[in-house]
């Protein structure tokens, strides 16, 4: 799929997902809730909670080994 078609497809998906916010009008302008029981999370820690989880220990090493095994092969440029 070429880039203009992909951009057009992405725009169509976004339009379907985000065009109707009427169901949320009652909460759209409410202030963000602030906890009375917990300190705000520092920005660095907040970003850290979305960091990748290393569930697949050794995965990157395996990928690198396979890439090395096939690195001598020539692939056509896209």
């Amino acid at each position: 799929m070429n880039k203009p078609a992909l951009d057009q497809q992405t725009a169509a998906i976004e339009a379907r997902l985000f065009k109707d916010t009427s169901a949320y009008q009652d909460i759209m302008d409410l202030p963000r809730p602030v906890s009375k029981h917990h300190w705000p999370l520092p920005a660095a820690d907040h970003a850290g909670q979305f960091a990748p989880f290393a569930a697949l220990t050794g995965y990157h090493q395996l990928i690198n080994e396979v890439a090395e095994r096939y690195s001598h092969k020539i692939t056509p440029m896209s």
Side-chain angles (χ1 to χ4, degrees):
M1 188 175 277
N2 61 18
K3 183 139 175 70
L6 186 59
D7 291 342
Q8 190 175 20
Q9 183 180 14
T10 301
I13 291 170
E14 287 175 354
R16 280 196 314 260
L17 290 174
F18 302 116
K19 71 179 179 182
D20 183 18
T21 59
S22 61
Y24 305 102
Q25 283 308 122
D26 59 332
I27 62 170
M28 293 286 271
D29 295 321
L30 291 178
R32 183 181 65 82
V34 178
S35 175
K36 297 175 184 171
H37 305 286
H38 302 282
W39 291 95
L41 194 61
D45 293 341
H46 181 74
Q49 73 180 347
F50 297 104
F53 171 60
L56 301 173
T57 305
Y59 176 73
H60 292 292
Q61 180 182 354
L62 176 64
I63 294 297
N64 290 335
E65 288 173 8
V66 172
E68 184 66 31
R69 189 178 319 147
Y70 290 98
S71 65
H72 68 281
K73 294 190 177 216
I74 298 172
T75 57
M77 297 299 288
S78 303

